[in-house]
Amino acid sequence: MFFKTKKVVIYTDGACKGNPGDGGWGAVLLYKGKEKEIFGGQRDTTNNQMELRAAIEALSQLKYKCQVELYTDSSYVKNGIESWLDNWIKNNWKTSAKKPVKNQALWQSLHVLCQKHEVQWRWVKGHSNHPLNDRADALANKGVEMLKNGKVNAGE
């Protein structure tokens, strides 16, 4: 039986108050006119870690193989996944300077999820009044606020 691959659009963002500090991640997932918002927070983290976490958490929501158009305002995430990852893997998780890749466990998680889906990575300029990117940013900041209120679990 033939199953049509589902097409999903995702906007992700991460936030951090201090770097390292309290951080949050957020994502907006769009499928067939429906929207889902997810967010969460983490203590003692970095902005780059939260940007990665946003993409990981969003892709983890997908139950079946999907064609994904994933928007991020993080050049770190987009360049990492599109330009650096293959060499990191080939070099046993070392950079071109022979140093360990930062955030290796997060990159490995993201890589595994990307193998399950057809992901097209798109960069969008942050804080440029793009409605869906602004929503992902607001969700990431909601994740940070959640920590201030003493909650530690992700919110939906």
Side-chain angles (χ1 to χ4, degrees):
M1 184 180 272
F2 175 76
F3 293 99
K4 189 173 180 182
T5 305
K6 301 173 187 307
K7 294 184 181 181
V8 178
V9 175
I10 300 173
Y11 283 79
T12 65
D13 203 7
C16 205
K17 306 304 178 197
N19 205 14
D22 286 349
W25 56 266
V28 180
L29 294 86
L30 308 162
Y31 173 68
K32 286 190 174 181
K34 295 183 180 176
E35 297 181 3
K36 181 175 186 176
E37 295 181 341
I38 59 172
F39 66 92
Q42 182 176 325
R43 297 201 186 280
D44 194 30
T45 189
T46 66
N47 190 69
N48 283 341
Q49 290 170 347
M50 293 295 90
E51 295 283 359
L52 286 163
R53 176 66 61 202
I56 291 165
E57 296 293 341
L59 290 170
S60 295
Q61 296 290 310
L62 306 178
K63 305 286 189 247
Y64 305 99
K65 181 176 180 158
C66 297
Q67 289 179 337
V68 179
E69 200 168 332
L70 195 149
Y71 290 84
T72 178
D73 62 9
S74 171
S75 295
Y76 173 72
V77 172
K78 186 172 184 302
N79 289 337
I81 205 74
E82 290 186 331
S83 301
W84 307 329
L85 185 68
D86 288 339
N87 284 331
W88 289 340
I89 292 169
K90 193 174 10 174
N91 295 326
N92 198 27
W93 293 98
K94 300 274 193 259
T95 66
S96 58
K98 307 291 185 223
K99 297 190 182 210
V101 171
K102 291 182 181 177
N103 306 313
Q104 179 181 335
L106 292 169
W107 283 112
Q108 288 172 322
S109 295
L110 185 57
H111 178 63
V112 167
L113 288 164
C114 287
Q115 302 308 299
K116 296 178 181 179
H117 306 286
E118 298 170 31
V119 183
Q120 293 180 344
W121 292 87
R122 305 278 190 244
W123 183 81
V124 60
K125 184 175 181 180
H127 310 285
S128 62
N129 295 320
H130 187 289
L132 291 168
N133 186 66
D134 288 350
R135 279 178 56 196
D137 179 67
L139 289 165
N141 282 293
K142 192 173 180 178
V144 176
E145 284 300 313
M146 179 180 68
L147 294 174
K148 285 184 182 176
N149 296 328
K151 297 181 182 173
V152 292
N153 293 323
E156 286 190 31

